[in-house]
Amino acid sequence: MHNLIPSFILEKYNEGKSHGSFKTATMFIDISGFTAMTQELMQNGKEGAEVLNSILTNIFEPVIDAVYDRGGFITSFAGDAFTAIFSDIKRPLDCCNAAMKIQQIFSDISKQDTRFGVFNLAVKIGLAYGRVDWGIVGFEKLKTYFFRGPAINKCAMAEHRCDRMQIVLHKGLSGFVSDALSTQSINKTYSLLTANEFPEANPKPLPEFTGAAKALRSFIPDAVLNYKRKGEFRQVVNVFISFKELSSFESLDRFTISLLENAERFGGYFRVLDFGDKGGNCLTLFGAPVSHENNIQRAVDFVEAVRNEFGDDIRAGVTFGTVFAGFVGSRRRRGYDVLGNVVNLSARFMMKAEWGEIYLDKAVARSVREEFNTVSLKPGKYKGFVERVPQYKLSGREKQKEALFFAGKLVGRKKELTRLKRYLKPVKDGKFGGIVYVYGAPGIGKSRLIHELVKASKIHTYTMQCDSILKKSLNPFSYFLTDYFRQSGTPDLNARKEIYTSIYNDLVDKSGQEHTKELRRIESIIGSIIGLHWEGSIYEIIEAKDRPTVVNFGLKSFISILCSLEPLILLIEDIQWIDETSQEALQILTRQIEDVPFMILASSRFNDDGSRPTIKCDDDVKQREVVIDNLSTDSVDALIENNLEMKPSPELVQYIQSRAEGNPFYIEQFCLYLKENDHITVKEDGCHLTTKPVDIPVDINAVIIARVDRLSSELKEVVQVASVLGREFEVQVLEEILSLLKEKELVGE
């Protein structure tokens, strides 16, 4: 698998070299018709993906051979395009011969006749000669590489002068080959290569490097190295970032380290640094090769973090939609890449944005509207899109997250709500209520049930959200304190300190004389949790090794004093993501507080192995749980009626129930999807299903794909094969197919 990066880079890495430059011939190839073909084949699901995989092999195998057989190598893929370098200074003619060979290949196989239609592909090739700079950048855990310089820019500019099936030379190269090849001048800078005769090349083996597999892990994440499937259609968030020129290797290295760290931090896949006539840019993917349930949130958090650090030095485009994701290339050189309209749109958004701006498509803007401020712009006209495209500008994070709003009445959870109300009785009696867990699968209705409990109890509730992305130290406590002291949306540190001090002084006044001394003692300790520090404060003079313990006991004092004012519920959401330092703080918080009136209410989904996450505490702390199951058939009927606001037909209920299987979130998403896509008609006797959709609603698909991607590669293959067989099948059939696939894989190796 060492063909995932250029052998040139592997060689330099093994030699301990980080950057350099040389003069060389360069080639930029763009295949037209690929995006339209990809969009068309997407309509045919898995069968369409199989056809596209076959076409990719048919096209790229001989094209890549044409480059490598003539002494070149591919620096990077960009969907249906790639850049190649012929690094030997004696190779300019070989570069031209490779281009003519590729031109001939497309003349022979450009017409792809499939069972889903005929697709016509064409190629445009730009060639140049000049200086190329190369470098290996990044941090110890993950690196990437780049090729840039005049020759890279010029071959891209030459390609822009091409019509279909043409080869255009920049003058830097045409001077080397004009005596050997026939050319036609376009202008002072560019010439059209008109020769069509070239010598055939002898196939050349790829060089082997000792330790190549180990070196590769420094550049390519395990999710790609272990990816054994063919390409697939999946929903992905595409983040294209353009950056202003960073002329020195050191400045580019620092910039790239930040990008790589942020990509890893938020769970994205950083593709590669790319350079051309439009400057430097990079593509980071969320949802491929590994998906999370909140890919869009992660992507926008990522790009906002990058903008916060680099400001007007970057601009970006973010889009979401279905793409073809998988390996592009051949046995000699390949890369994990994505193809599709939404990928292209992300790049076009990036180029349309002003420096410091981030453009979003409608799907992304809609998904993050509760977390971020967005500005709707006039729909834009973009190449490759017939209609004007809705576009939005990201203008920063919301100042404060609003409380969740739930429409309609709670359905099918009366028994669970009654139990939770009973568990609250000690708190109302002025005692510690222990820890109560609310367990359930994603979308089962945990948040809705808790919302109803809080509303009915009239007990003040503070939310402490665990973070699935960053998992920072004391994250749920930081979330709670940030909200309590109104720190969101105020970037100025001095302003934040003023707000904190004002609210803290109000708390001291309300708490009475008995708590004043303790509150003043822990003032800087509590502030440190949300990033506020004062020179010479108690927190600052505590030795670093003692700070975690002091902070934990400070939190206990702070929360106990809040409870002296009124009974409280501490709602800790999604404890399956809780960090270890918060676990330690909660263990201290729950010790010897029998007469403190509060309860910890913790929501959680099950672990992948079916076990139930818990909060660390001593054995004498009372712990109880409520497990939420799927809704009954009667409750499903009622919930569908709530969502559609009219009586559903038995056929419609059966259709939704068979797919949602009693999960409230799935039911709500199916109802919304059926309404928005005109799959429902209204008659006198209620709602009826007119057509059955092929697709799964986006939010449900994200949950399912994220769950599948967390499986081991072996189990993932079993699930994917089983999904093709249908909802019911004989186990022996599955075993036989898996056995045949294994035999085929061994033969291929």
Side-chain angles (χ1 to χ4, degrees):
M1 289 289 284
H2 67 272
N3 58 1
L4 288 171
I5 63 173
S7 54
F8 175 93
I9 292 295
L10 273 179
E11 181 181 1
K12 298 301 181 185
Y13 181 75
N14 284 346
E15 292 172 357
K17 297 177 181 178
S18 62
H19 61 288
S21 62
F22 54 88
K23 288 196 171 182
T24 183
T26 56
M27 171 191 294
F28 182 75
I29 288 182
D30 183 53
I31 304 172
S32 60
F34 238 110
T35 301
M37 177 181 66
T38 301
Q39 294 301 124
E40 182 67 28
L41 291 174
M42 271 182 200
Q43 310 307 312
N44 298 283
K46 293 176 182 176
E47 290 184 352
E50 290 173 3
V51 170
L52 187 51
N53 274 303
S54 177
I55 293 173
L56 285 168
T57 300
N58 293 341
I59 294 293
F60 278 104
E61 191 84 38
V63 167
I64 291 171
D65 282 347
V67 172
Y68 279 78
D69 287 347
R70 289 161 179 81
F73 67 87
I74 292 172
T75 63
S76 62
F77 294 92
D80 51 9
F82 67 77
T83 302
I85 283 176
F86 295 75
S87 53
D88 192 323
I89 198 168
K90 300 175 183 178
R91 298 278 184 195
L93 193 58
D94 288 335
C95 178
C96 295
N97 288 335
M100 288 186 286
K101 176 63 176 178
I102 293 169
Q103 188 182 52
Q104 182 194 71
I105 290 168
F106 271 87
S107 296
D108 296 337
I109 65 173
S110 61
K111 183 179 179 181
Q112 294 289 317
D113 195 348
T114 76
R115 62 182 182 272
F116 299 118
V118 177
F119 303 101
N120 293 303
L121 306 177
V123 68
K124 298 190 295 182
I125 307 174
L127 306 178
Y129 183 87
R131 192 187 84 243
V132 168
D133 303 317
W134 65 270
I136 298 171
V137 289
F139 58 103
E140 184 177 354
K141 187 176 178 182
L142 185 61
K143 299 182 181 297
T144 189
Y145 64 90
F146 68 84
F147 291 89
R148 66 176 179 177
I152 298 289
N153 300 342
K154 290 171 183 176
C155 69
M157 290 188 289
E159 183 273 332
H160 297 335
R161 271 72 180 177
C162 291
D163 287 330
R164 288 167 60 93
M165 300 299 291
Q166 285 187 340
I167 303 169
V168 170
L169 282 64
H170 187 273
K171 64 180 181 180
L173 180 64
S174 58
F176 278 97
V177 300
S178 57
D179 292 339
L181 297 173
S182 173
T183 62
Q184 178 183 325
S185 176
I186 297 174
N187 55 35
K188 292 181 179 180
T189 306
Y190 300 102
S191 301
L192 183 68
L193 183 60
T194 56
N196 54 20
E197 293 184 4
F198 53 90
E200 290 296 333
N202 295 319
K204 293 179 175 60
L206 282 171
E208 293 292 335
F209 299 105
T210 303
K214 182 179 178 181
L216 196 61
R217 293 190 178 277
S218 298
F219 293 86
I220 307 293
D222 288 343
V224 174
L225 290 176
N226 298 331
Y227 188 89
K228 297 178 180 178
R229 292 164 286 164
K230 291 185 177 180
E232 60 191 335
F233 294 129
R234 63 190 295 160
Q235 291 175 324
V236 172
V237 190
N238 313 277
V239 182
F240 256 111
I241 296 176
S242 172
F243 48 92
K244 290 182 179 178
E245 183 179 0
L246 298 165
S247 56
S248 72
F249 169 78
E250 290 74 19
S251 60
L252 181 56
D253 188 31
R254 287 192 297 270
F255 176 77
T256 308
I257 288 172
S258 177
L259 288 180
L260 289 169
E261 288 178 338
N262 275 304
E264 181 185 48
R265 178 183 173 203
F266 291 102
Y269 170 50
F270 183 91
R271 277 270 296 105
V272 72
L273 288 172
D274 191 36
F275 290 88
D277 59 318
K278 294 183 175 65
N281 66 80
C282 58
L283 171 62
T284 304
L285 306 174
F286 292 81
V290 175
S291 185
H292 301 275
E293 293 165 27
N294 52 351
N295 290 318
I296 296 178
Q297 176 72 46
R298 288 169 177 266
V300 177
D301 281 340
F302 162 74
V303 74
E304 180 70 359
V306 174
R307 180 168 66 174
N308 286 342
E309 183 172 356
F310 296 104
D312 291 345
D313 289 334
I314 66 106
R315 54 184 174 175
V318 186
T319 60
F320 171 76
T322 303
V323 304
F324 176 84
F327 286 121
V328 173
S330 74
R331 70 194 187 286
R332 300 178 82 171
R333 179 73 169 93
R334 67 178 62 191
Y336 185 88
D337 215 335
V338 289
L339 298 165
N341 266 344
V342 290
V343 185
N344 297 347
L345 182 60
S346 174
R348 303 200 194 293
F349 274 176
M350 171 189 73
M351 296 308 297
K352 179 73 174 292
E354 298 292 333
W355 291 108
E357 291 183 343
I358 300 169
Y359 273 32
L360 315 174
D361 71 1
K362 186 176 181 179
V364 174
R366 182 177 179 180
S367 181
V368 301
R369 63 184 181 273
E370 292 183 2
E371 296 282 344
F372 291 89
N373 293 308
T374 60
V375 177
S376 178
L377 304 173
K378 182 180 178 182
K381 185 70 176 171
Y382 289 97
K383 180 183 176 182
F385 294 83
V386 177
E387 304 292 334
R388 287 187 171 272
V389 179
Q391 53 189 1
Y392 300 78
K393 188 164 62 174
L394 186 69
S395 61
R397 196 176 291 274
E398 273 280 3
K399 288 187 177 180
Q400 193 169 347
K401 187 177 179 180
E402 296 180 3
L404 288 174
F405 172 76
F406 295 99
K409 63 182 180 180
L410 181 67
V411 173
R413 303 299 186 203
K414 184 177 180 180
K415 181 178 68 174
E416 292 88 346
L417 183 58
T418 301
R419 284 178 63 193
L420 287 174
K421 287 179 179 178
R422 187 167 69 247
Y423 294 155
L424 266 178
K425 188 176 184 304
V427 180
K428 293 183 176 181
D429 294 339
K431 300 292 183 181
F432 176 47
I435 302 172
V436 177
Y437 302 100
V438 178
Y439 292 113
I444 205 69
K446 300 183 292 293
S447 297
R448 178 61 193 271
L449 176 62
I450 290 169
H451 170 79
E452 293 295 330
L453 173 69
V454 170
K455 186 171 68 172
S457 72
K458 297 184 171 65
I459 296 177
H460 199 111
T461 301
Y462 289 114
T463 300
M464 303 168 70
Q465 177 69 56
C466 300
D467 193 337
S468 66
I469 303 174
L470 302 182
K471 297 183 181 178
K472 294 189 298 185
S473 174
L474 295 175
N475 197 79
F477 290 97
S478 175
Y479 183 97
F480 150 56
L481 294 171
T482 296
D483 182 55
Y484 185 90
F485 289 106
R486 301 174 197 165
Q487 297 290 294
S488 295
T490 309
D492 182 74
L493 182 60
N494 290 327
R496 287 179 56 211
K497 285 184 175 181
E498 288 180 10
I499 295 170
Y500 176 85
T501 301
S502 174
I503 295 173
Y504 203 93
N505 288 339
D506 288 343
L507 175 61
V508 172
D509 293 340
K510 284 190 295 184
S511 300
Q513 194 66 32
E514 61 183 300
H515 297 302
T516 299
K517 184 177 179 180
E518 177 63 7
L519 281 172
R520 289 304 180 196
R521 185 187 72 83
I522 65 173
E523 184 172 359
S524 63
I525 296 170
I526 298 301
S528 71
I529 299 171
I530 50 178
L532 301 179
H533 299 276
W534 293 266
E535 188 176 348
S537 67
I538 289 177
Y539 177 80
E540 295 299 319
I541 62 176
I542 297 170
E543 289 190 32
K545 65 182 178 62
D546 297 325
R547 284 177 180 173
T549 301
V550 171
V551 167
N552 289 344
F553 279 99
L555 279 168
K556 182 172 184 174
S557 290
F558 183 78
I559 290 171
S560 297
I561 292 170
L562 290 180
C563 293
S564 72
L565 301 175
E566 60 179 334
L568 296 177
I569 297 173
L570 293 184
L571 170 59
I572 309 179
E573 295 190 327
D574 298 315
I575 64 165
Q576 72 274 8
W577 293 320
I578 195 167
D579 62 281
E580 186 58 33
T581 51
S582 293
Q583 287 277 33
E584 293 168 0
L586 287 166
Q587 186 171 25
I588 289 173
L589 175 62
T590 53
R591 283 177 180 159
Q592 300 175 349
I593 49 165
E594 293 78 11
D595 296 324
V596 180
F598 80 103
M599 182 177 82
I600 293 175
L601 184 59
S603 71
S604 178
R605 63 187 59 177
F606 304 109
N607 291 321
D608 288 340
D609 62 2
S611 60
R612 300 171 185 180
T614 57
I615 288 171
K616 186 186 292 185
C617 63
D618 295 345
D619 293 340
D620 61 344
V621 175
K622 184 176 289 187
Q623 299 182 76
R624 290 160 292 187
E625 63 182 41
V626 173
V627 178
I628 308 178
D629 295 318
N630 291 333
L631 293 173
S632 66
T633 302
D634 289 343
S635 296
V636 170
D637 196 332
L639 184 58
I640 293 172
E641 185 171 349
N642 268 1
N643 278 272
L644 297 179
E645 299 178 334
M646 60 187 69
K647 186 71 177 174
S649 68
E651 180 197 12
L652 179 55
V653 173
Q654 195 278 329
Y655 173 80
I656 295 176
Q657 168 69 324
S658 67
R659 283 149 182 80
E661 298 182 341
N663 184 298
F665 171 72
Y666 292 0
I667 292 167
E668 290 170 355
Q669 290 299 311
F670 264 108
C671 288
L672 181 64
Y673 184 78
L674 293 174
K675 282 166 60 177
E676 288 184 344
N677 292 276
D678 299 322
H679 292 296
I680 292 176
T681 55
V682 179
K683 299 180 181 179
E684 290 183 2
D685 59 343
C687 292
H688 292 261
L689 186 67
T690 52
T691 56
K692 295 181 180 179
V694 176
D695 297 331
I696 298 175
V698 168
D699 290 338
I700 297 177
N701 186 69
V703 173
I704 295 171
I705 294 298
R707 182 70 186 273
V708 171
D709 279 347
R710 290 199 297 271
L711 301 175
S712 66
S713 58
E714 293 80 7
L715 189 54
K716 192 183 299 183
E717 183 179 16
V718 173
V719 171
Q720 288 170 331
V721 172
S723 70
V724 177
L725 295 177
R727 292 173 67 87
E728 296 183 7
F729 51 83
E730 293 290 335
V731 174
Q732 292 87 343
V733 175
L734 176 60
E735 289 176 341
E736 187 67 24
I737 293 174
L738 290 170
S739 177
L740 289 171
L741 289 174
K742 188 65 178 176
E743 288 178 13
K744 185 177 180 181
E745 182 180 319
L746 290 172
V747 170
E749 291 176 352

